[in-house]
Amino acid sequence: VTFLSVSHMHSTCVNQPYVVFKSMNYYLAVIPFLGALDSGILGELPYEIEILPPDGHRADFCHSIAECRAQAPNVMSAWRDFFKVLLHMWEAHVYSIVFALPKFQNRLPFLSSSESSFGVAWATAVHFIAATRFPTDQNTTNHFQTGLPPRMLQEGDKAPFIPDFTPVQNRMVYMIETLHKANEKSGRCSLPIVPALESLTEDSAIWTILVKKFSEHL
């Protein structure tokens, strides 16, 4: 058995329970890696890979292919399937968020109320972005990310009036939070459901227009 150390990730994520979104990123970094191993894309390895567990909060994370299959079967199968055919990346991404957010939701109070609400709103926005099959090439992603906050939100930060944010960043935060509020008030009726991503047709066109308009504000 070969053990891979992710001590830096664990020291900054697990031992500081208030860093909830870094903990969620474990499910968007390590789990995809284990999914890639499980898919066979890396070939036959002469040893088993296992991630070294943290000092605490072990139950919040899985550390091997077998353990992750048992704890997060939908997430693992989504990432395994992605690496097998190099399709459905967004579906796997959404599965990771859907699984991880409830797991770490009890840590949200450690964040400022502004950062906490924006993080949850961003998770909602990802569902809509995923429904458009938004391209994730480097140039498009870099352009889109220019509107994201350059720092964690603090108490009192209220978009679109955050003084040290650019107009683009203020608009982005405001639009993401507005989208989330609208989705909540509609009873989440407008939120694309993960299994339905495969069959989106007309709905996909709607979300594509939405994200296109969204990008025009950058």
Side-chain angles (χ1 to χ4, degrees):
V1 178
T2 295
F3 294 93
L4 297 181
S5 174
V6 287
S7 57
H8 176 68
M9 175 178 287
H10 280 312
S11 65
T12 57
C13 302
V14 180
N15 296 329
Q16 298 178 24
Y18 54 85
V19 192
V20 56
F21 300 116
K22 287 186 178 180
S23 295
M24 287 182 61
N25 278 340
Y26 185 92
Y27 285 85
L28 292 167
V30 176
I31 307 305
F33 169 69
L34 292 175
L37 288 175
D38 197 22
S39 74
I41 194 173
L42 300 180
E44 291 291 331
L45 299 180
Y47 38 74
E48 180 184 347
I49 301 293
E50 185 171 338
I51 309 300
L52 284 175
D55 295 332
H57 304 280
R58 180 189 174 107
D60 287 339
F61 305 92
C62 53
H63 304 90
S64 67
I65 291 175
E67 198 173 49
C68 291
R69 280 178 181 170
Q71 292 186 22
N74 289 338
V75 180
M76 275 294 287
S77 63
W79 283 111
R80 183 186 64 243
D81 293 346
F82 164 68
F83 283 107
K84 278 184 176 180
V85 295
L86 296 181
L87 293 172
H88 317 310
M89 185 279 293
W90 276 115
E91 182 174 347
H93 191 98
V94 170
Y95 266 118
S96 284
I97 291 178
V98 168
F99 181 83
L101 183 57
K103 179 179 283 288
F104 301 111
Q105 203 145 17
N106 63 339
R107 302 182 187 181
L108 290 174
F110 289 97
L111 302 170
S112 70
S113 59
S114 298
E115 176 69 15
S116 174
S117 62
F118 174 74
V120 174
W122 172 248
T124 296
V126 169
H127 284 73
F128 289 95
I129 296 170
T132 72
R133 302 297 192 202
F134 190 78
T136 54
D137 60 275
Q138 184 175 9
N139 290 339
T140 303
T141 301
N142 284 345
H143 174 67
F144 193 74
Q145 287 182 332
T146 59
L148 294 178
R151 60 165 174 79
M152 294 181 69
L153 298 181
Q154 302 168 355
E155 295 294 348
D157 283 338
K158 184 70 175 177
F161 306 110
I162 303 176
D164 60 333
F165 279 23
T166 67
V168 170
Q169 291 163 350
N170 266 297
R171 286 197 299 270
M172 176 73 90
V173 173
Y174 178 76
M175 292 171 68
I176 288 173
E177 291 179 338
T178 300
L179 177 65
H180 175 68
K181 290 175 183 176
N183 188 64
E184 289 292 301
K185 288 183 178 180
S186 71
R188 302 184 182 181
C189 295
S190 54
L191 187 64
I193 305 300
V194 173
L197 290 179
E198 284 300 296
S199 57
L200 284 174
T201 53
E202 294 180 3
D203 286 345
S204 182
I206 294 173
W207 305 132
T208 300
I209 293 171
L210 175 66
V211 173
K212 182 179 179 181
K213 293 295 183 183
F214 200 75
S215 300
E216 288 174 357
H217 287 273
L218 299 182

